[in-house]
Amino acid sequence: MVQMTYRDALRQALRDAMAEDDRVFVIGEEVGRYGGAYGVTKGLIEEFGSDRLMDTPISEAAIVGAAVGAAMAGLKPVAELMYVDFIGMTMDQLGNQAAKIRYMFGGQIGVPMVLRTQGGTGRSAGAQHSQSLEAYVLHTPGLRLAMPATVADAYHLLRGALRQPDPVVFIEHKALYTLKEEVDLSAPVPDWGKAAIRRKGDDLVIVTYSRQVHNALKAAEELAARGIEATVIDLRTLNPLDFDTIRAEVERVGRAMVVSEGVMTAGVAAELSARISEECFDFLHDPVVRVAGEDIPISVSVALEAASVPTTALVRETAERLVA
């Protein structure tokens, strides 16, 4: 066991992958000499050189476009976008090219690349640097999507992403980089696309991912003190989605709520709630409840920012109303 931060785990995953496979390289703004906007690649240029830690101009389209071409040519690029808010700048390269190349070429070639970026609130970065845009990715067939909540998953999911034959968008929550946990990097690697049941209870199921896993677990502790036992499912990846685990737990318990930091309307919570309602209808005691971000631009105000996304208190209060 070793204690490390979420940021350290990501760096170690990149280091191990680059040491094992010289086809792996990192490309993006300030990923080399500066060490990445959030310090994930700090020090790697001294180990692997500037050919494998490639600093680029400020052009998200060029970063992702170069990565797509490199992946098609046999390399394994890790492209970094400073903020997921800028993913719209890359949607031709990512959504029209990377996501569709395997289909368009009849399976003869793939795009084995990883797009690392970060999203979410927590730093008062304002409306253009605080969004949760995972629904953009989830809406695009051909893109895989991983969103780790724990330090161990930061390591293992990134290693797993680099083994995939198709493009993976890997979204790290900006509020988790300093999260510190004891991890065993030699432990058996969790299956790619398999959700984790972080807590088991018989009164309701909370389905969530990324930073909201921690809010859900804190809420579950508070609910337990009030006599309500909640199951907490950490999805880990949204594509592939482990709906078998969701179905089994919802059918066992009969109540479900979905928690997401993304906006309520047409978001991840809406999709998951719809599927649970459709596929588990005969087992539900109550309608599925969504707890999600407000349909507003994120404020730079600390108080307004915090109030615009789910909190531990909101998750707990919603759960109490659902079970009552």
Side-chain angles (χ1 to χ4, degrees):
M1 300 290 287
V2 60
Q3 189 175 76
M4 62 171 54
T5 65
Y6 189 94
R7 177 189 291 115
D8 293 336
L10 293 165
R11 184 185 304 115
Q12 190 62 47
L14 289 172
R15 176 182 288 114
D16 290 349
M18 294 176 76
E20 292 173 7
D21 189 342
D22 60 12
R23 294 174 299 170
V24 178
F25 72 98
V26 180
I27 180 172
E29 299 167 31
E30 299 182 340
V31 297
R33 288 174 293 176
Y34 185 72
Y38 284 86
V40 170
T41 55
K42 193 173 183 64
L44 294 183
I45 194 169
E46 283 78 25
E47 295 182 52
F48 298 103
S50 59
D51 286 344
R52 298 181 68 190
L53 274 297
M54 299 180 63
D55 286 321
T56 69
I58 303 175
S59 174
E60 288 78 15
I63 293 166
V64 176
V68 172
M72 292 177 67
L75 299 178
K76 290 187 175 183
V78 180
E80 179 177 318
L81 296 186
M82 283 189 180
Y83 295 93
V84 75
D85 309 72
F86 305 151
I87 200 168
M89 302 289 291
T90 75
M91 286 310 285
D92 180 62
Q93 292 80 6
L94 188 64
N96 271 340
Q97 305 304 326
K100 296 174 174 63
I101 288 296
R102 181 175 296 281
Y103 173 78
M104 299 293 290
F105 281 75
Q108 298 177 82
I109 191 171
V111 184
M113 63 171 282
V114 174
L115 174 60
R116 277 189 55 244
T117 187
Q118 60 75 32
T121 61
R123 292 179 63 92
S124 297
Q128 295 174 324
H129 299 80
S130 303
Q131 298 174 89
S132 297
L133 300 180
E134 55 267 22
Y136 284 27
V137 180
L138 191 60
H139 186 70
T140 306
L143 297 179
R144 304 306 185 191
L145 175 58
M147 298 188 68
T150 68
V151 174
D153 273 354
Y155 178 83
H156 289 301
L157 283 180
L158 185 51
R159 293 299 310 274
L162 280 162
R163 298 186 185 102
Q164 301 309 306
D166 296 304
V168 178
V169 179
F170 193 94
I171 304 179
E172 305 148 12
H173 198 289
K174 63 169 65 70
L176 294 179
Y177 283 119
T178 58
L179 175 68
K180 186 175 289 187
E181 294 175 348
E182 293 280 342
V183 296
D184 182 2
L185 299 184
S186 64
V189 178
D191 290 339
W192 175 258
K194 180 68 175 174
I197 299 175
R198 302 295 183 189
R199 184 185 178 107
K200 197 91 165 179
D202 296 329
D203 294 314
L204 79 155
V205 177
I206 302 174
V207 181
T208 188
Y209 58 93
S210 190
R211 183 177 69 159
Q212 291 301 326
V213 170
H214 301 279
N215 282 339
L217 288 171
K218 291 175 185 175
E221 291 178 9
E222 296 176 6
L223 289 167
R226 294 163 167 80
I228 300 171
E229 294 294 338
T231 289
V232 177
I233 298 177
D234 175 2
L235 294 175
R236 302 176 68 247
T237 62
L238 296 179
N239 187 349
L241 175 67
D242 181 11
F243 198 79
D244 287 342
T245 293
I246 298 173
R247 180 188 296 107
E249 289 303 306
V250 172
E251 290 181 356
R252 180 180 67 83
V253 174
R255 292 186 184 88
M257 59 186 291
V258 182
V259 183
S260 169
E261 194 164 315
V263 297
M264 178 76 78
T265 301
V268 173
E271 170 62 21
L272 294 176
S273 297
R275 283 200 63 182
I276 294 170
S277 297
E278 289 174 354
E279 300 189 32
C280 305
F281 182 81
D282 291 340
F283 297 86
L284 290 171
H285 305 317
D286 298 285
V288 181
V289 174
R290 288 178 290 162
V291 180
E294 299 288 344
D295 289 339
I296 58 174
I298 302 295
S299 174
V300 73
S301 159
V302 174
L304 292 177
E305 179 189 47
S308 67
V309 296
T311 61
T312 296
L314 180 59
V315 174
R316 185 197 68 239
E317 292 164 6
T318 306
E320 289 176 318
R321 291 196 298 272
L322 177 60
V323 175

